């Protein structure tokens, strides 16, 4: 007896399929319920950003605290229902086809984790009285803003460019960190005998290295020895070029992406050749 070919396939559900088409973002134009839902979600996320900002103003918090609290409860309930519904409909996607493991895989995806972090702090604070922990967890409400990237073409372009150039970006950032450690280590040995309080250790000197390479120049810590000043000057000039590396890579990626869109050229994976 042969096992059924669809033993791991979820049962067909027209309602679930319809909800999936409404909620999930596609590259085409939105119409009907999909357009209404996406606009509603963008408005709620934007209002959350405004509420988070205004809630830090003491006078507004004192006067409209009840409004902020009510809107927070509404937002959490709204995002919770959406999160649960997305877990329910995710099996309509081929990547999450399995009714159990597919949903677990979706819950561990970056998108689902961002959704969870947007609502989790509220539920944790209901069962925890540590004010310090509550203040830290409230910071995670800002994750609600990241959700708007799914509905913005500009953010999708940025995501695509970073994905295409991730190897070059990792390489340039790794080289930048390598040079930062080397320069900070040399500066420590040059300046520590003269300024043991300022250049107390290599980790402490890393702060100077970041300021020098980024040409910020806070001035709270600076070399005094002749060799230290020479190294600081070389580091400042070299830092301009080092920080220009990832900028140039991203600029090249944006140019390639815009060119491919204008010419209608299809993008392919540089490794497997599969159409993206």
């Amino acid at each position: 007896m042969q096992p059924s070919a669809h033993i791991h396939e979820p049962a067909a559900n027209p309602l679930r399929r319809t909800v999936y088409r409404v909620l999930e973002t596609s590259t085409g134009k939105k119409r009907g319920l999909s357009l209404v839902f996406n606009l509603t979600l963008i408005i709620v996320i934007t209002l959350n950003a405004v509420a988070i900002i205004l809630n830090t103003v003491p006078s507004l918090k004192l006067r409209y605290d009840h409004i902020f609290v009510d809107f927070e409860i509404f937002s959490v309930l709204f995002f919770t229902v959406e999160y649960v519904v997305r877990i329910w409909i995710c099996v309509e996607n081929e990547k999450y086809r399995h009714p159990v493991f597919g949903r677990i895989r979706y819950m561990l995806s970056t998108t689902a984790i961002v959704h969870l972090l947007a609502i989790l702090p509220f539920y944790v604070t209901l069962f925890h009285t540590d004010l310090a922990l509550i203040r830290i967890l409230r910071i995670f409400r800002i994750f609600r803003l990241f959700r708007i990237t799914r509905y913005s073409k500009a953010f999708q372009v940025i995501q695509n460019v970073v994905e295409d150039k991730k190897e070059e970006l990792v390489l340039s950032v790794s080289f930048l960190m390598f040079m930062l450690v080397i320069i900070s280590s040399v500066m420590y040995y040059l300046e520590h005998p003269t300024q043991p309080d300022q250049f107390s250790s290599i980790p402490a000197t890393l702060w100077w290295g970041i300021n020098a390479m980024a040409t910020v120049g806070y001035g709270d810590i600076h070399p005094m020895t002749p060799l230290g000043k020479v190294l600081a000057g070389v580091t400042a000039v070299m830092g301009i070029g080092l920080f220009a590396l990832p900028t140039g890579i991203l600029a090249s990626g944006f140019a390639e992406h815009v060119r491919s869109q204008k010419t209608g050229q299809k993008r392919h994976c540089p490794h497997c050749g599969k159409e993206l």
Side-chain angles (χ1 to χ4, degrees):
M1 181 177 178
Q2 293 183 348
S4 173
H6 301 284
I7 190 170
H8 295 309
E9 293 286 330
N13 189 320
L15 176 61
R16 185 176 63 205
R17 185 65 180 173
T18 301
V19 176
Y20 175 80
R21 289 173 177 172
V22 171
L23 264 64
E24 284 302 311
T25 306
S26 62
T27 55
K29 291 184 177 180
K30 314 291 188 303
R31 292 185 177 89
L33 290 177
S34 180
L35 176 62
V36 172
F37 173 77
N38 288 328
L39 289 177
T40 302
L41 192 58
I42 291 173
I43 291 172
V44 172
I45 294 173
T46 304
L47 290 177
N48 266 266
V50 175
I52 291 173
I53 294 170
L54 296 181
N55 195 34
T56 60
V57 181
S59 59
L60 294 178
K61 180 177 175 58
L62 182 63
R63 186 173 181 179
Y64 301 107
D65 186 60
H66 62 287
I67 297 179
F68 289 128
V69 172
D70 292 342
F71 182 69
E72 174 71 8
I73 295 174
F74 163 77
S75 300
V76 169
L77 292 177
F78 178 85
F79 291 133
T80 301
V81 171
E82 186 211 358
Y83 177 71
V84 173
V85 171
R86 287 189 183 276
I87 293 175
W88 174 55
I89 66 173
C90 71
V91 293
E92 297 294 335
N93 190 322
E94 291 295 332
K95 292 172 59 178
Y96 313 112
R97 204 65 181 157
H98 196 283
V100 177
F101 297 110
R103 287 189 168 98
I104 294 176
R105 184 180 178 187
Y106 171 77
M107 293 171 67
L108 296 177
S109 66
T110 303
T111 301
I113 291 175
V114 170
H115 290 184
L116 181 62
L117 288 176
I119 60 176
L120 187 61
F122 177 84
Y123 294 108
V124 173
T125 55
L126 293 179
F127 305 100
H128 211 289
T129 57
D130 188 347
L131 294 179
L133 177 63
I134 291 175
R135 283 193 293 267
I136 293 174
L137 289 175
R138 282 178 177 171
I139 298 175
F140 285 99
R141 293 185 302 173
I142 206 69
F143 275 90
R144 296 173 191 173
L145 300 180
F146 288 98
R147 303 195 47 198
I148 206 168
T149 59
R150 288 169 53 89
Y151 308 95
S152 171
K153 186 176 180 180
F155 282 115
Q156 290 175 3
V157 170
I158 295 174
Q159 181 180 355
N160 292 335
V161 170
V162 173
E163 180 68 22
D164 291 343
K165 299 294 183 180
K166 60 183 178 181
E167 293 182 358
E168 294 90 336
L169 288 172
V170 169
L171 183 62
S172 63
V173 172
S174 299
F175 181 69
L176 184 63
M177 297 301 296
F178 175 76
M179 292 303 300
L180 174 62
V181 172
I182 294 297
I183 291 172
S184 299
S185 300
V186 174
M187 181 60 76
Y188 165 74
Y189 288 110
L190 290 176
E191 291 293 323
H192 177 70
T194 305
Q195 304 183 77
D197 295 333
Q198 297 288 343
F199 296 86
S200 57
S201 64
I202 291 178
T205 310
L206 284 172
W207 171 244
W208 167 86
I210 294 172
N211 289 332
M213 294 186 70
T215 63
V216 176
Y218 281 128
D220 55 340
I221 174 174
H222 57 274
M224 297 180 63
T225 63
L227 287 178
K229 292 180 180 180
V230 171
L231 180 60
V234 173
T235 302
V237 174
M238 186 172 59
I240 298 173
L242 290 176
F243 276 96
L245 279 176
T247 305
I249 292 171
L250 289 175
S252 173
F254 278 114
E256 292 176 4
H257 189 87
V258 172
R259 191 182 307 115
S260 65
Q261 283 188 331
K262 287 183 176 180
T263 60
Q265 181 181 359
K266 295 180 179 179
R267 297 163 59 243
H268 296 81
C269 175
H271 305 290
C272 64
K274 184 178 178 181
E275 183 180 326
L276 300 177

